[in-house]
Each structure stands twice: as structure tokens, then as C-alpha cells.
């Protein structure tokens, strides 16, 4: 394993949060040199870092001349870079890999100091593939929040009535914004944060990652896709369900539901260590293509959105989208400890689409489904 350097804060750097599982808002240097872990600590964070990583050697900024530098006339940025340079020298690093997030200015200084810096995102991100116990607990909490958010959305949809093809609640059109607010409140009560881009969309107002806005239709699919973040651990979940209020306006909706469920179960049955994301994606493509739909691997038709024009899913952890990829280019084999989201779906330009998304933990001989929520189109 090559020596490693990471720099940043644990509220923004997934790589650092994996190594130091506490929220630290000030940037610091983490290094592994000769198999030993080192952490450059600020006085305010020393006790928390020591508790989180008792195996790591602490390099305190006071021992690096911090107070001397404060009185030197240097700018804050210059002091920061000088401290990192001194810390790297202290721990004896000569060559190290860094991730894509490593600051260019600090990399240039370390290179000027004679340290060989190589960007290797794959090596760094692979360290997070096997989730720690704390991360897995956080993912489970985030998933519980996602299900609470979906339940809040379903409650509003179930209470709505249809007038001229539009859903109404409390005497006014039911808006995607109102549903999204209810979802965010439900997640917050579960200790998770849900951003403003959570999807409440239909063929009326939402394709791809467009979050959706305005009135919602009766009789047409409404996709609810949310990815809350557990506040305590910074870990994410990801979940999608599709609802239709009232009788579907087209037989296409029922056909989509049947095929998407088949694709979801077909992929789930294949999940185990050693299988690649591309292989799982191909399982779904074969089901959809046999039914006459275009997929990402066959390419779009006249309408670039129709059919299954996206990947099957992605890894989930300290980032909502991380390794392994589950698409045409998903060459990495699954490993026990991966958490993946699988989300097959079909889209039709006239009626919209059906999509279901579950969160799975890859186990030694298969997978455990972390999502516990029905797939019924009726809310």
C-alpha cells in the first residue's frame, strides 16, 4: 500500500471522514507513512481526534511553530500551507498518493519540498468500499429517514382528490413543492438532512434529475426520489418509489411496473461479491430490450429520454454517488461491505415513467436489502 496524504475537513471530504469519523470543520492533514497513521491536529480538536483514532500519532500545530507563524506577518493561507509543509516533513513522507480533492496549492508546495505527489482517486475511494460499523449504522438511519420521507409523500398523495386530471388537497392544487417540504420535515425528525433537489416529478414537470415543480397529475406516475444524509455520521441513503393516484390513464403504466419490478428482482438476485456493475446493468437491459424498449447500451431512439437511458445505480456511503458504478462502464467487482443503490426504470414521453430504487448491502454470499417499503403504485 503506498503512503497516503489527505487534506481538508471531514464535513466536505468523504475520504477524511472515513479515516476520522467525527465532524471537523477546519482543514487538517492526515497521512499514512510506512503503515503508521498521523493526524495534524488543532488544539480544539485534539481530544476528539485522539478518541476517534487512538492508533494515530498526533502532530500538534503548536509543535510546528504555529504561534511563531501567527506573528510573522504571513496571511492565513500562507500559515496554513507552511504548517502542512512542516507536518509532512515531521512524519517523513517522501512520496504519497492523494485524491482528486487534494488542494493544488498545497500539492505544489509539497512538490517544491521534494515530495512526490501522485493523484490516485481509485486507491483512495476503494478504502471506503467496505463500510465500517459506524458508517453502516449511519446508512441504516438515513434509510429509515428516507422511508419516513416517502411515507409523508404517500400520505399527501393518498389524501388528494382529482379534478380534471389534477390532484387537489385542501381546496388547492397539490404542488410538488408541498410534497417535498413534507418529506424534508419527516427526514429532519429522523435526524437526517434532505436537500432541495429531492425529486417529486411526473411527465408534466420533471425528467432525469429535474426536481419537479407545480401541480401533480392524477392517473399518471409520480416519481419520488430522495437521498437523505444522516446528520450524525454524514452517511447517505437513496430511495425511489413511484405512485399513481387513481386509475392509470394508460396500460403503459402497468406494463412499466411489471417490467421494472422484474428488472429490480433480476438484478437483486445476481448481487454478490465478484459480480460487476456492468453485469447487473446488463440483466436489466436484457429484460427491457426483450420487451421492445431501448436502453443505454442500445442507444436512444428519436426521443433520447425514452426507455432505460441511465445506469442501474451506484455505490452509497459517505457520498450519495460513489464507487462501485453500476452501468455500462461498471468494471469494478462488488466486494462484501459495499452498499449499492439499484434503480431500474422506464420512461415514456406520453405518460412518464416507473422507477423503483432499493439500497442493498453486499454480503459474503449475496446481499441484504436495507430498504423496507412496498412497491405498490397506489399510495
Amino acid at each position: 500500500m503506498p503512503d497516503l496524504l489527505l487534506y481538508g475537513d471531514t464535513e466536505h471530504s468523504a475520504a477524511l471522514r472515513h479515516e476520522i469519523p467525527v465532524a471537523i470543520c477546519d482543514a487538517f492533514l492526515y497521512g499514512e507513512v510506512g503503515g503508521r497513521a498521523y493526524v495534524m491536529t488543532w488544539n480544539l480538536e485534539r481530544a476528539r481526534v485522539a478518541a476517534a483514532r487512538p492508533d494515530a500519532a498526533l502532530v500538534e500545530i503548536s509543535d510546528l511553530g504555529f504561534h511563531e507563524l501567527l506573528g510573522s506577518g504571513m496571511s492565513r493561507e500562507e500559515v496554513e500551507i507552511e504548517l502542512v509543509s512542516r507536518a509532512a516533513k515531521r512524519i517523513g513522507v517522501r512520496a504519497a498518493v492523494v485524491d482528486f480533492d487534494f488542494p493544488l496549492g498545497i500539492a505544489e508546495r509539497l512538490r517544491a519540498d521534494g515530495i512526490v505527489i501522485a493523484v490516485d482517486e481509485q486507491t483512495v475511494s476503494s478504502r471506503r468500499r467496505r463500510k465500517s460499523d459506524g458508517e453502516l449504522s449511519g446508512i441504516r438511519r438515513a434509510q429509515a429517514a428516507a422511508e419516513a420521507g416517502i411515507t409523508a409523500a404517500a400520505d399527501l398523495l393518498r389524501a388528494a382528490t382529482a379534478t380534471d386530471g389534477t390532484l387537489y388537497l385542501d381546496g388547492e392544487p397539490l404542488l410538488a413543492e408541498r410534497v417535498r417540504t413534507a418529506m424534508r420535515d419527516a427526514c429532519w425528525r429522523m435526524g437526517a438532512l434532505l436537500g432541495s433537489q429531492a425529486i417529486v416529478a411526473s411527465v408534466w414537470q420533471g425528467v432525469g434529475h429535474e426536481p419537479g415543480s407545480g401541480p401533480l397529475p392524477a392517473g399518471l406516475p409520480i416519481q419520488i426520489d430522495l437521498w437523505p444524509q444522516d446528520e450524525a455520521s454524514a452517511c447517505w441513503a437513496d430511495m425511489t418509489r413511484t405512485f399513481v393516484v387513481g386509475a392509470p390513464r394508460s396500460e403503459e403504466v402497468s406494463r412499466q411496473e411489471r417490467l421494472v419490478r422484474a428488472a429490480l428482482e433480476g438484478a437483486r438476485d445476481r448481487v454478490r461479491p465478484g459480480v460487476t456493475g456492468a453485469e447487473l446493468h446488463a440483466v436489466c437491459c436484457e429484460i427491457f430490450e426483450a420487451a421492445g424498449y431501448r436502453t443505454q447500451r442500445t442507444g436512444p431512439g428519436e426521443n433520447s429520454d425514452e426507455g432505460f437511458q441511465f445506469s442501474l445505480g451506484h455505490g452509497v456511503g459517505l457520498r450519495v454517488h460513489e464507487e462501485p458504478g453500476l452501468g455500462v462502464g461498471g468494471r469494478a467487482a462488488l466486494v462484501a461491505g459495499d452498499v449499492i443503490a439499484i434503480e431500474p426504470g422506464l420512461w415514456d414521453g406520453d405518460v412518464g415513467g416507473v422507477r423503483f430504487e432499493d439500497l442493498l448491502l453486499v454480503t459474503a454470499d449475496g446481499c441484504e436489502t436495507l430498504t423496507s417499503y412496498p412497491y405498490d403504485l397506489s399510495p
Side-chain angles (χ1 to χ4, degrees):
M1 176 69 71
D3 289 346
L4 169 73
L5 289 178
L6 301 172
Y7 187 80
D9 65 77
T10 64
E11 293 187 342
H12 295 90
S13 170
L16 272 168
R17 186 61 175 257
H18 178 72
E19 307 300 341
I20 311 292
V22 293
I24 298 175
C25 63
D26 291 317
F28 64 95
L29 183 72
Y30 173 86
E32 290 184 8
V33 180
R36 180 84 186 275
Y38 298 87
V39 185
M40 186 183 84
T41 62
W42 303 83
N43 297 338
L44 294 174
E45 307 294 355
R46 185 184 189 283
R48 293 202 302 153
V49 171
R53 284 297 301 267
D55 62 311
L58 304 186
V59 181
E60 300 192 40
I61 61 169
S62 58
D63 294 337
L64 297 173
F66 174 61
H67 296 94
E68 166 200 341
L69 292 173
L70 284 180
S72 69
M74 286 184 175
S75 68
R76 177 186 177 90
E77 291 76 16
E78 290 170 332
V79 169
E80 181 179 11
I81 292 174
E82 181 63 28
L83 287 172
V84 173
S85 173
R86 293 182 181 187
K89 183 177 181 180
R90 177 73 60 90
I91 67 179
V93 63
R94 295 290 180 265
V97 298
V98 300
D99 63 353
F100 282 167
D101 294 334
F102 199 86
L104 177 59
I106 290 178
E108 288 181 340
R109 170 59 188 271
L110 295 180
R111 284 168 173 155
D113 292 341
I115 298 174
V116 177
I117 300 294
V119 179
D120 188 346
E121 178 68 20
Q122 188 64 40
T123 291
V124 178
S125 65
S126 67
R127 297 166 67 95
R128 304 198 309 276
R129 293 280 301 275
R130 293 177 173 86
K131 303 300 184 284
S132 69
D133 290 343
E135 289 167 351
L136 190 53
S137 294
I139 291 170
R140 292 183 188 275
R141 290 193 299 269
Q143 179 56 40
E147 292 170 24
I150 287 279
T151 299
D155 289 345
L156 288 177
L157 294 173
R158 187 170 55 251
T161 58
T163 301
D164 296 328
T166 298
L167 295 180
Y168 280 77
L169 186 61
D170 301 327
E172 58 186 22
L174 178 59
L175 305 182
E177 291 86 348
R178 179 174 177 180
V179 176
R180 188 177 298 110
T181 296
M183 291 161 53
R184 294 174 73 182
D185 289 345
C187 289
W188 175 248
R189 288 192 293 270
M190 298 288 289
L193 306 175
L194 182 64
S196 61
Q197 297 302 302
I199 293 172
V200 182
S202 70
V203 71
W204 284 5
Q205 35 69 41
V207 176
H209 279 168
E210 182 181 347
S213 61
L216 295 168
L220 293 175
I222 300 169
Q223 292 186 0
I224 310 292
D225 186 353
L226 70 166
W227 46 97
Q229 183 184 31
D230 176 58
E231 188 175 28
S233 67
C235 288
W236 300 79
D238 201 358
M239 177 182 180
T240 303
R241 288 296 185 267
T242 303
F243 297 117
V244 178
V245 181
R249 300 188 198 179
S250 169
E251 293 182 1
E252 171 66 16
V253 177
S254 298
R255 186 168 186 254
Q256 288 180 350
E257 177 192 19
R258 174 176 56 81
L259 289 167
V260 171
R261 282 296 309 277
L264 181 71
E265 298 307 329
R268 192 198 321 267
D269 289 345
R270 289 287 304 277
V271 171
R272 58 184 48 83
V275 173
T276 68
E279 290 173 322
L280 296 178
H281 185 257
V283 170
C284 299
C285 289
E286 288 165 6
I287 291 172
F288 295 147
E289 290 165 9
Y293 292 91
R294 300 190 70 87
T295 70
Q296 190 179 56
R297 71 179 187 178
T298 61
E302 293 182 3
N303 188 329
S304 61
D305 297 319
E306 292 196 348
F308 179 48
Q309 297 299 326
F310 46 90
S311 72
L312 174 61
H314 49 86
V316 178
L318 284 166
R319 288 181 175 163
V320 69
H321 289 170
E322 61 179 32
E323 291 295 322
L326 307 181
V328 173
R331 298 179 179 86
L334 300 183
V335 299
D338 271 329
V339 173
I340 60 173
I342 57 173
E343 48 181 326
L346 289 169
W347 183 265
D348 178 271
D350 293 325
V351 302
V354 172
R355 183 157 54 91
F356 299 122
E357 179 179 23
D358 280 352
L359 206 59
L360 310 179
L361 169 65
V362 181
T363 61
D365 57 359
C367 68
E368 174 191 349
T369 301
L370 303 182
T371 308
S372 178
Y373 197 92
Y375 305 97
D376 299 341
L377 291 185
S378 172

